[in-house]
Amino acid sequence: MDAGLIPAELLQCAVVESRQVGAYRLISFVAPQIANLAHPGQFLMIRLAGSELDPLLPRPMGIHNVESDLVTMLIDPVGKGTARLAAAGIGDRVSVLGPLGMGFRLEGDAPAVLVGGGIGISPLKLLARALAAGGREVRCLLGFRTRKEAVATELFSGVRIDVITEDGSIGRLGLVSDPLPGCLAREPGKPAPEIFACGPSPMLAAIARIARECGNLAQVSVESHMACGIGSCQGCVIRGAGGYLRVCSDGPVFDVEDISWQ
Amino acid sequence: MLAADKALEEDLFVSFPFAAYIPKTVTLKPRAGNPPPRLQETAAGLLNSIGLANHGIEAFIRDDLPRLEPMPVPVIASIAGERTEDYGRCAAMLDSRAEVAALELNVSCPNVELDGRALGLDPEKTRQATVLARQATSKFLIVKLTPNVTDIVEIAAAAVDGGADCVSLINTVHGMALDRFSLKPVLGHVTGGLSGPAIKPVALRAVFLVSRELDVPVIGMGGVTTAQDALEFMAAGATAVAVGTASFRDPLVAAAMASELGRLIKEHGIGSAGELIGVAH
């Protein structure tokens, strides 16, 4: 499906769930228009509704999950915009535009290896569900700084998970990319595993290198500051193999070889 | 301004909340734009260093104009030159296009190097660019000015002297941001242009001064976010008001602003929008 051509909705929605998940905040709101259209890897432009001018613009955030009419977002309160959203209580209203962007392509039957770093785990929940529903074998490598962020692995119940932390406070010590090569061998009678990744740029660069060395397909979801979110302002571009790419409308999910990793 | 993007196209064509639409500026040759990062939000503001990324005027005429034809409002084409002559050449290429109601000469992009300076910093170059465009077209000519000058009235007067029917102000204000950890410039272009509510007082002053001195209509912009802002820009002398950054915050904000503006004008006991223009003078 051409996710970029799905009509987006601009809505104001009341928060119906707001809870702490370790270092992150999880909020949910009722938005059947978005829940029905959302494709794994797509994002919303989201801000706390109101006339406050600082923060000024909505923030692009990957859709964490949808359940019937409910849309769920996972927030890492690292800056002004995300902190304001994370402070949203039940009944507060959020302004949302979406679903936006080109999500993960789900075609094929290769075993799927999902790799998430930090808040980059967020869109992998909806992705894992969609892949499993399509009969794909799914395993997740979820990497965090410490056990405080790793609490979010509880959101991935029912999926095969390996936890990696940079301080070794829970799971395997190291970087989430460390165990990846060991997950990529082709099993007899099956296609080579396909990588789906979301996380900080250095992590994605490491995954690009590993995918190239091991000869596996990989799709990565990239982050960038955005203003319009719909392909117009050219503000969110990254360097691609053949020129600049708009993260909001050409992505946020790209084939790993379409991006320039220099 | 608003994006005629696929995702929102249908809604906007049905209920387009503006009186005119100005697509992003095009140049004679395609431009890739500046290296990323190109955006940084600041306190009530947005810094950008896009660098006039566009696919060139030929592709604009071939691919974009047919798509814009069904717009329910006039389309104002915006052009910028890497040299003065470009304005005449671009204006000539658009002169015969019925889809284009008017031309905006963007002489004020802060993110494009022209001998290291935007052309709109120099009154004589501004006048020359306007003269060349004026010779090439009979269309309504708007010159968009930069606030990054000592005397914006002098530049505006040069544009009018060159044949401008209207001036549009302000473009973004020079600015920069440092990364809080590395203490290095955030933007790939190092410096950029600031827009949003943070620059409203700068814009209001420019609109006030230019409209007081010159006898052409002024399009006011720069931080217009609410109907109250639009009211103040018109009171300062703007005949029309443009909304840019606030549309990123809320793509449908201008529709709400337009209806609210009518109510505010009545509340102030002013008979019509026309009577509001310049009451601050």
Side-chain angles (χ1 to χ4, degrees), chain B residues 76-217:
Chain B
I76 301 172
S78 176
I79 56 181
E82 287 170 355
R83 55 195 67 76
T84 321
E85 302 81 72
D86 292 2
Y87 288 90
R89 293 180 64 185
C90 288
M93 291 169 78
L94 293 168
D95 182 54
S96 62
R97 302 302 304 216
E99 309 97 313
V100 177
L103 292 184
E104 176 193 86
L105 311 184
N106 180 356
V107 296
S108 49
C109 181
N111 296 314
V112 175
E113 306 299 321
L114 182 116
D115 305 328
R117 290 152 54 89
L119 189 134
L121 298 181
D122 182 305
E124 184 47 29
K125 282 182 182 160
T126 301
R127 200 188 67 80
Q128 280 170 15
T130 314
V131 165
L132 291 173
R134 178 78 294 162
Q135 287 167 351
T137 181
S138 56
K139 286 191 193 291
F140 190 81
L141 217 50
I142 304 163
V143 179
K144 183 165 183 182
L145 304 177
T146 172
N148 303 313
V149 294
T150 309
D151 182 3
I152 194 168
V153 176
E154 182 190 17
I155 311 280
V160 173
D161 187 47
D165 297 304
C166 171
V167 288
S168 173
L169 51 145
I170 58 176
N171 208 322
T172 55
V173 178
H174 283 156
M176 77 181 294
L178 300 185
D179 181 86
R180 57 192 282 219
F181 300 111
S182 72
L183 300 180
K184 298 289 184 194
V186 170
L187 297 174
H189 189 61
V190 181
T191 66
L194 183 65
S195 64
I199 69 166
K200 180 189 148 190
V202 177
L204 205 58
R205 170 187 178 271
V207 167
F208 182 88
L209 294 180
V210 169
S211 64
R212 199 178 55 176
E213 297 302 322
L214 298 179
D215 199 21
V216 294

Side-chain angles (χ1 to χ4, degrees), chain A residues 5 7-8 10 47 50-59 78 97 225-228 230 232-235 237 239 244, chain B residues 3 5-8 24 32-36 38-41 43-46 50 53 180 197 225 245 248-252:
Chain A
L5 294 180
L10 177 66
R47 68 180 174 92
S51 57
E52 191 179 33
L53 296 178
D54 187 22
L56 182 65
L57 300 181
R59 298 293 187 261
V78 287
L97 176 69
H225 287 182
M226 293 182 192
C228 75
I230 57 171
S232 172
C233 77
Q234 314 268 348
V237 302
R239 286 185 182 84
Y244 292 128
Chain B
D5 183 87
K6 276 278 180 237
L8 288 170
K24 278 177 76 73
N34 287 326
R38 293 177 173 178
L39 292 175
Q40 176 65 37
E41 188 172 313
L46 175 67
I50 311 293
R180 57 192 282 219
T225 308
T245 303
F248 295 147
R249 176 180 161 80
D250 174 355
L252 301 177

